[in-house]
């Protein structure tokens, strides 16, 4: 009852702080009674539990039935949407709301298969932190075709009890590895976090960062990436197993850090360290940290296909996912620990304080660095595997 009362007070307060668009009530009336087929990655129990909770809330408060379609990869839903378009299915599509970003978003947007110009019309957009990359996805304009609902940032993990100071730059990381040979590594690309780590190094090392905003140009690729390969050639001999093998996943690195096999791990969730501490998998002296210039960050979005059957209800669900109530619950490490996309300064004091309570104690905030254009992912992975994959 206490949680229910808290949720109701959050909903009421957030609804009254800012005036809503004139057509919002009409949209809510259209949404009432609709079913939203929400296609989302289903690989994490905490995420699944959170979205089950969201389904209960939108049913209770908006009369919307949320049907979760749990995916191993968003590409499954993208392929279905593309096939429906090829078959001429312009309405009543099988997907109403899709957790999507990066390459899959670009594929659908280029094909004209997403509803556009709706995200910033939602009432809860007023709370969004526009200093985060909420208007672009892998360097491509969103154009209102996606609504943000969470953020992530690449971070390194260390233990203050075992490391008197943490490396705050690529150059300092190289020095740290030389001082502690065999105690540093990163996940083997194409692991998502491993590739993100390579992108992070490329961003801070390249002499031409603007080139990363566009797809790789074969004519300049070698020049743009040369500082990265020079750096890795220097770094690898000092890594775990002399850079001839790499941990397969960040989870494996977490265990190696806990066992003192490594001094650093890596994560794409700044709250991850608090989760590990709470589960007694890392000591309370563990910390998430990053480079002073910033760390690669991104935002995860939900999109509405152009042929969605329940567009009104999908918009209401997207608005709910951006609400202070939903964001506060999602940010709680005991629930999920997914960082918010809201600007706490825009919230009234009670909500501001609720959100602040879920900022991870172990986190040392660093600036966001925007991701390169999506096409760099495949290009970087291929080049890395060519150079280091067979060693």
């Amino acid at each position: 009852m206490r949680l229910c009362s808290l949720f109701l007070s959050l909903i009421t307060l957030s609804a009254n702080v800012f005036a809503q668009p004139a057509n919002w009530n009409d949209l809510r009336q259209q949404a009432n009674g609709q079913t939203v087929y929400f296609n989302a990655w289903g690989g994490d129990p905490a995420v699944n539990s959170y979205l089950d909770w969201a389904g209960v809330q939108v049913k209770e408060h908006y009369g919307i039935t949320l049907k979760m379609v749990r995916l191993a990869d968003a590409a499954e839903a993208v392929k279905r949407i593309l096939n429906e378009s090829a078959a001429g299915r312009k309405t009543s599509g099988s997907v109403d709301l899709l957790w999507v970003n990066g390459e899959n978003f670009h594929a659908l947007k280029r094909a004209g298969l997403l509803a556009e110009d709706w995200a910033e019309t939602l009432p809860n957009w007023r709370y969004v932190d526009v200093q985060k990359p909420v208007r672009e996805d892998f360097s491509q304009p969103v154009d209102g075709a996606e609504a943000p609902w969470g953020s992530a940032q690449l971070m390194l993990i260390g233990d203050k009890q075992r490391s008197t100071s943490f490396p705050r730059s690529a150059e300092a990381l190289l020095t740290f590895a030389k001082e502690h040979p065999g105690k540093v590594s990163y996940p083997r690309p194409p692991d998502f976090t491993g590739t993100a780590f390579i992108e992070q190094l490329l961003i801070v090392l390249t002499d031409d960062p603007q080139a990363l905003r566009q797809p790789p140009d074969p004519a300049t690729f070698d020049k743009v990436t040369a500082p990265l390969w020079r750096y890795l050639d220097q770094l690898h001999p000092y890594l775990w197993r002399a850079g001839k093998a790499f941990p397969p996943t960040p989870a494996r690195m977490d265990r190696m850090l806990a066992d003192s096999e490594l001094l650093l791990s890596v994560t794409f969730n700044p709250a991850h360290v608090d989760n590990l501490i709470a589960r007694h998998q890392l000591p309370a002296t563990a910390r998430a940290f990053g480079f002073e210039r910033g760390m690669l960050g991104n935002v995860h979005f939900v999109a509405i296909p152009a042929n969605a059957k329940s567009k009104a209800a999908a918009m209401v669900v997207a608005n709910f996912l951006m609400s202070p109530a939903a964001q506060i619950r999602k940010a709680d490490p005991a629930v999920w620990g997914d960082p918010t996309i809201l600007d706490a300064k825009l919230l009234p004091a009670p909500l501001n304080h609720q959100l602040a309570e879920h900022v991870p104690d172990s986190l040392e905030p660093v600036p966001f660095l925007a991701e390169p254009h999506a096409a760099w992912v495949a290009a970087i992975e291929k080049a890395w595997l060519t150079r280091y994959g067979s060693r």
Side-chain angles (χ1 to χ4, degrees):
M1 289 298 295
R2 185 171 178 270
L3 286 175
C4 183
S5 298
L6 173 61
F7 177 80
L8 288 173
S9 66
L10 289 173
I11 287 288
T12 302
L13 184 54
S14 62
N16 291 335
V17 172
F18 297 116
Q20 297 180 351
N23 66 346
W24 181 244
N25 286 333
D26 292 341
L27 195 70
R28 285 186 56 177
Q29 289 177 8
Q30 293 176 42
N32 187 24
Q34 290 186 345
T35 296
V36 171
Y37 286 88
F38 185 3
N39 286 237
W41 177 63
D44 188 308
V47 176
N48 293 340
S49 178
Y50 174 78
L51 291 176
D52 288 341
W53 169 85
V56 172
Q57 302 306 320
V58 297
K59 180 67 172 180
E60 179 178 348
H61 297 283
Y62 304 109
I64 295 170
T65 299
L66 193 65
K67 295 283 191 181
M68 295 307 306
V69 180
R70 307 199 193 280
L71 308 171
D73 192 319
E76 300 171 28
V78 172
K79 183 177 180 180
R80 206 174 336 124
I81 295 167
L82 291 169
N83 288 340
E84 289 175 359
S85 175
R89 190 171 173 179
K90 304 299 182 184
T91 59
S92 299
S94 63
V95 180
D96 295 298
L97 194 64
L98 176 63
W99 181 0
V100 64
N101 58 20
E103 294 173 283
N104 291 324
F105 166 69
H106 296 152
L108 292 174
K109 190 169 182 285
R110 282 195 303 268
L113 298 180
L114 292 179
E116 296 192 8
D117 301 319
W118 59 271
E120 296 192 28
T121 70
L122 301 179
N124 286 323
W125 177 268
R126 294 173 181 257
Y127 299 108
V128 170
D129 182 358
V130 295
Q131 297 304 308
K132 290 186 175 181
V134 294
R135 289 183 166 128
E136 64 175 38
D137 195 349
F138 280 81
S139 298
Q140 294 300 295
V142 167
D143 296 325
E146 296 180 300
W149 70 300
S151 65
Q153 189 174 24
L154 186 72
M155 301 293 285
L156 298 171
I157 303 173
D159 182 354
K160 293 181 72 174
Q161 194 170 24
R162 287 191 284 146
S163 300
T164 55
S165 63
F166 297 143
R168 308 289 181 166
S169 66
E171 294 76 15
L173 179 62
L174 178 58
T175 299
F176 185 91
K178 289 179 178 179
E179 292 173 348
H180 306 281
K183 293 292 187 178
V184 175
S185 193
Y186 58 89
R188 186 184 192 277
D191 172 84
F192 172 81
T193 307
T195 299
F197 179 78
I198 298 303
E199 289 183 289
Q200 164 74 31
L201 293 175
L202 176 61
I203 291 169
V204 299
L205 292 172
T206 185
D207 297 323
D208 189 6
Q210 285 303 312
L212 305 180
R213 307 285 295 173
Q214 304 296 327
D217 181 348
T220 60
F221 181 83
D222 289 344
K223 180 180 179 182
V224 172
T225 60
L228 170 65
W229 312 127
R230 285 197 298 269
Y231 177 89
L232 291 179
D233 287 344
Q234 296 176 68
L235 178 68
H236 281 185
Y238 298 97
L239 296 185
W240 177 72
R241 295 189 178 176
K244 296 178 180 178
F246 296 83
T249 64
R252 175 65 185 280
M253 288 188 67
D254 292 340
R255 293 193 295 271
M256 295 167 75
L257 174 62
D259 294 339
S260 299
E261 191 173 358
L262 292 177
L263 288 176
L264 300 177
S265 186
V266 62
T267 180
F268 219 104
N269 181 353
H272 181 59
V273 179
D274 270 18
N275 295 337
L276 293 175
I277 293 172
R279 297 199 299 266
H280 305 289
Q281 294 178 8
L282 282 180
T285 49
R287 291 291 183 271
F289 70 96
F291 294 167
E292 290 180 352
R293 284 182 53 187
M295 296 295 284
L296 180 74
N298 69 17
V299 168
H300 32 273
F301 299 87
V302 291
I304 301 174
N307 71 346
K309 182 178 182 179
S310 302
K311 288 181 182 176
M315 290 175 65
V316 172
V317 172
N319 185 64
F320 171 77
L321 293 174
M322 291 195 297
S323 70
Q327 290 285 307
I328 287 169
R329 182 177 179 86
K330 183 167 64 66
D332 185 348
V335 175
W336 179 357
D338 189 54
T340 185
I341 44 81
L342 302 185
D343 183 346
K345 297 189 298 297
L346 299 177
L347 302 180
L351 303 185
N352 186 316
H353 296 155
Q354 287 278 341
L355 194 58
E357 287 179 1
H358 297 317
V359 174
D361 294 334
S362 61
L363 176 64
E364 301 178 13
V366 295
F368 254 63
L369 295 179
E371 291 180 299
H373 188 281
W376 279 92
V377 172
I380 287 295
E381 288 176 349
K382 181 179 178 181
W384 187 96
L385 289 168
T386 298
R387 287 172 168 80
Y388 310 113
S390 60
R391 294 186 180 184

